[in-house]
Amino acid sequence: VECGTPPRVENALVQRAAGVSGVSVFPEVMILKGLPGYSTIISDDPLKPGSAVYQVSCRADGTFSPTPPMVNINDCLWHHCGAHGSCRDLEKPGPDPDDNYVCDCNAGYETRRNENNQKRCRNI
């Protein structure tokens, strides 16, 4: 049974078994992996996302198993900027989770990194 071309999921890459390309056939299973900063759960840990990889299979009826969307992880649920500013999650995350948010600091404060490489609003 053929399922056709694997589904495209925005912000994810399809990983297939070695030597497999083109049309998927039953019971082939593919791995979809979210790009850095993306997961199927918005509140996932940006440093170690637990829901950024899942399986998609070609089913016996010729369809693919459901594919959940990959969403931008909300880095501000894991990072804060301290008492003198607020965290703003970036719309398009990059490969470094420590750079996927910005601190909007109050007047007289600027963004600096602490000993753990976390951004904080510190006195100028």
Side-chain angles (χ1 to χ4, degrees), residues 8-12 35 38 69-71 92:
R8 295 193 58 156
V9 177
E10 190 174 359
N11 303 312
L35 298 175
Y38 290 91
M70 284 289 177
V71 295
K92 294 285 184 189

Side-chain angles (χ1 to χ4, degrees), residues 81 84-86 103-105 109-111 119-123:
C81 297
H84 304 288
S86 59
C103 290
D104 294 325
C105 299
Y109 294 86
E110 66 183 2
T111 302
K119 297 175 189 174
R120 296 287 186 267
C121 291
R122 302 280 190 216
N123 204 350

Side-chain angles (χ1 to χ4, degrees), residues 15-46:
Q15 298 175 338
R16 303 180 78 178
V20 176
S21 63
V23 175
S24 297
V25 295
F26 176 76
E28 184 182 354
V29 175
M30 292 148 287
I31 305 296
L32 267 74
K33 182 176 183 183
L35 298 175
Y38 290 91
S39 175
T40 59
I41 300 173
I42 197 168
S43 60
D44 210 348
D45 182 341

